[in-house]
Amino acid sequence: MVDLRVNIGIELQNPLILSSGILGSSVGMLKRLAGTGAGALITKSITENPRVGHENPTVIEVAPGIILNAMGLPNPGVDLFLNELEEEDELKIPIIPSVAGYNEDEFGRVAARFEDAGYEMVELNISCPHSTEFSTGKVIAQDTGRTSQVISAVREITSLKLIVKLSPNVTDIVEFAEVALDAGADALSLINTLEALEVDPFFEVPVLGNIFGGQSGESVRCIAQRKIADIALAMHSDRIRNVPLIGIGGVRTPEDVFRFILLGVDAVGIGSSILYEDLAIFENILDGLERMMVDKGYESLDVFRGKAILRIAEMMV
Ligand code: SIN
């Protein structure tokens, strides 16, 4: 038996987390996901008022491993979402609400509603690349000032543990991690999707209703790994404070989870790959991960977490 438990500020039975993004805005879906073997579920991002999201199409696989989405944060709004959740029996798995908003006040109000409802931890989604119509302007996670304002505002009015979801669409992700940690983040999740565009050569138009979207799927895994390594190396060299990391980006197999843990993450988000493997992906990955650990004689994730980062740090001297 291997010990798969992890602590990201709350204890999880295993490191696999449904990442916020494509699934998880309906309570019915969360209920289905709760029995799949995941260690925790991060909900679809919830705003103060209901949002219908962008025009269809909103999610398209444009080539194997290349998924584009521009959903536009569709959700029922915090009141309805909480009402529906309250009607459910306990889901028996940690639920981490993802919070989004137009500005720091909305982030603060929505986060406070979740705290009042008894939640311990939320993720602040400041990095959706298509949160505005036609992806105009910078998103919060591309602006250090606004990143700090949003996190500080939530920090000031709640005692929630805060995961901050970082954007890969910046020059120096470590700079943004530092700002997030200074403003009070307790954990970091990365990466959100990469700014992207696809054009249909036959109809000669963009394929997404919102024109621009965000890329996920296996095609982004190595990019995610580079960004995770940048953050983990900055922690290793004490440039930034050490906090739990949730690695997200194209993870589909037990080997991918192993890679992310070698790069220092505490937990691993699974999102787009559910489109390929269905909900069995959580159990399948856990079985494979356990087998790999038994083969290598590793009794817990702590034994190999960050090993590749130590090696990279040595090689870079
Ligand atoms: C969306 O709702 O558009 C996706 C969420 C995200 O990219 O953060």
Side-chain angles (χ1 to χ4, degrees):
M1 271 298 276
V2 295
D3 183 359
L4 292 179
R5 282 174 305 168
V6 295
N7 197 315
I8 57 162
I10 56 176
E11 189 164 89
L12 311 183
Q13 289 309 306
N14 71 66
L16 303 189
I17 298 183
L18 169 78
S19 56
S20 178
I22 296 177
L23 295 175
S25 64
S26 82
V27 173
M29 180 49 85
L30 288 177
K31 207 173 150 191
R32 277 188 69 201
L33 287 158
T36 55
L41 306 178
I42 302 186
T43 71
K44 180 106 186 84
S45 299
I46 304 296
T47 50
E48 185 164 38
N49 297 311
R51 283 178 66 146
V52 286
H54 296 315
E55 291 286 312
N56 278 322
T58 55
V59 185
I60 291 191
E61 187 200 36
V62 299
I66 305 181
I67 296 172
L68 258 51
N69 94 82
M71 304 185 69
L73 306 171
N75 76 92
V78 67
D79 288 335
L80 194 60
F81 187 70
L82 278 171
N83 284 347
E84 282 181 24
L85 266 178
E86 272 162 24
E87 281 167 20
E88 278 307 319
D89 297 338
E90 222 197 307
L91 290 173
K92 296 191 181 70
I93 176 173
I95 305 287
I96 302 172
S98 167
V99 173
Y102 288 106
N103 52 40
E104 64 268 28
D105 295 337
E106 184 177 355
F107 270 91
R109 285 193 298 270
V110 177
R113 294 279 288 110
F114 282 113
E115 181 171 47
D116 292 345
Y119 290 86
E120 205 182 325
M121 184 172 223
V122 296
E123 179 180 75
L124 302 180
N125 182 5
I126 57 172
S127 51
C128 172
H130 36 264
S131 42
T132 58
E133 193 182 14
F134 306 132
S135 309
T136 46
K138 278 188 191 172
V139 302
I140 295 167
Q142 290 171 313
D143 179 322
T144 48
R146 289 180 72 209
T147 295
S148 178
Q149 273 167 7
V150 165
I151 300 164
S152 306
V154 181
R155 180 77 303 151
E156 217 162 273
I157 62 167
T158 76
S159 316
L160 287 162
K161 293 176 183 155
L162 303 179
I163 306 171
V164 174
K165 190 165 187 177
L166 298 175
S167 171
N169 304 306
V170 293
T171 309
D172 179 9
I173 198 167
V174 176
E175 184 189 358
F176 284 86
E178 193 167 11
V179 167
L181 294 173
D182 286 348
D186 300 295
L188 301 172
S189 57
L190 64 151
I191 57 175
N192 207 318
T193 53
L194 288 130
E195 292 171 343
L197 169 68
E198 179 61 308
V199 174
D200 187 310
F202 304 103
F203 291 104
E204 304 181 351
V205 291
V207 299
L208 288 171
N210 186 57
I211 306 173
F212 304 109
Q215 182 166 324
S216 61
E218 287 164 287
S219 58
V220 309
R221 182 173 54 76
C222 293
I223 300 170
Q225 288 175 182
R226 169 65 202 260
K227 302 288 179 186
I228 290 165
D230 286 348
I231 302 276
L233 286 165
M235 288 179 172
H236 177 74
S237 66
D238 290 331
R239 176 175 163 196
I240 59 173
R241 190 156 55 83
N242 245 291
V243 294
L245 294 179
I246 302 170
I248 308 164
V251 169
R252 190 170 170 184
T253 67
E255 290 79 8
D256 296 340
V257 172
F258 213 93
R259 290 181 174 105
F260 273 44
I261 293 173
L262 285 170
L263 290 170
V265 308
D266 295 85
V268 178
I270 311 279
S272 311
S273 298
I274 293 173
L275 301 178
Y276 298 100
E277 309 276 335
D278 207 333
L279 302 185
I281 189 168
F282 293 101
E283 288 293 359
N284 292 344
I285 289 182
L286 288 175
D287 286 351
L289 183 61
E290 272 187 11
R291 267 199 306 276
M292 285 182 76
M293 288 172 65
V294 169
D295 287 350
K296 285 175 178 262
Y298 292 164
E299 284 171 5
S300 77
L301 300 169
D302 293 340
V303 179
F304 66 101
R305 176 173 298 111
K307 254 181 137 177
I309 290 298
L310 295 180
R311 187 79 188 102
I312 293 169
E314 278 169 18
M315 291 166 81
M316 285 174 73
V317 172

